[in-house]
Amino acid sequence: QVQLVESGGGLVQAGGSLRLSCAASGRTFSVYTMGWFRQAPGKEREFVAGISWSGANTYYADSVKGRFTISRDNAKNTVYLQMNSLKPEDTAVYFCAADLSITTVSEEYDYWGQGTQVTVSS
């Protein structure tokens, strides 16, 4: 089992920045691909960013490419999502997830955090 706890969400004005963190405990964090997803009210959960176990490979949804950066610190069992140039359409609950495979498909992730709310005002 892997337990994931997100933090860092909040209210920010458009154009601002936030940094989300996801702390992991349980099984060896460093073997897992980590992903960030988000879900806005009335919408499907969508992939935002992912990072391989070593951190060597990262991948992003087109909607956040160039604005968001995913990173991880395996010594701290933590994955981060730096979000810059935030837009009102980035408003959502953000979830981190862990899986042994490299995937952008939410259904394939085995472990999930409880989510953290990000609200971007215009």
Side-chain angles (χ1 to χ4, degrees):
Q1 288 286 339
V2 176
Q3 292 79 42
L4 303 171
V5 179
E6 302 96 335
S7 61
L11 173 64
V12 63
Q13 289 189 332
S17 298
L18 281 175
R19 188 195 196 200
L20 305 183
S21 299
C22 173
S25 61
R27 291 191 174 182
T28 306
F29 172 75
S30 60
V31 305
Y32 287 91
T33 293
M34 298 299 297
W36 284 98
F37 292 79
R38 66 187 182 187
Q39 188 167 20
K43 294 189 176 181
E44 298 282 324
R45 186 173 297 186
E46 64 174 353
F47 171 77
V48 175
I51 188 166
S52 60
W53 66 271
S54 67
N57 300 105
T58 57
Y59 33 107
Y60 298 92
D62 287 342
S63 58
V64 307
K65 205 170 290 183
R67 299 188 298 123
F68 291 10
T69 302
I70 189 171
S71 61
R72 67 189 296 162
D73 185 339
N74 286 342
K76 295 182 178 180
N77 287 359
T78 302
V79 63
Y80 305 97
L81 186 69
Q82 178 67 44
M83 306 186 294
N84 299 328
S85 302
L86 283 162
K87 305 175 181 179
E89 51 263 44
D90 294 319
T91 296
V93 177
Y94 283 71
F95 300 87
C96 69
D99 195 73
L100 291 173
S101 63
I102 297 176
T103 177
T104 63
V105 179
S106 63
E107 290 79 5
E108 296 182 2
Y109 277 80
D110 287 334
Y111 303 104
W112 291 85
Q114 82 289 349
T116 185
Q117 176 70 46
V118 171
T119 303
V120 184
S121 63
S122 57

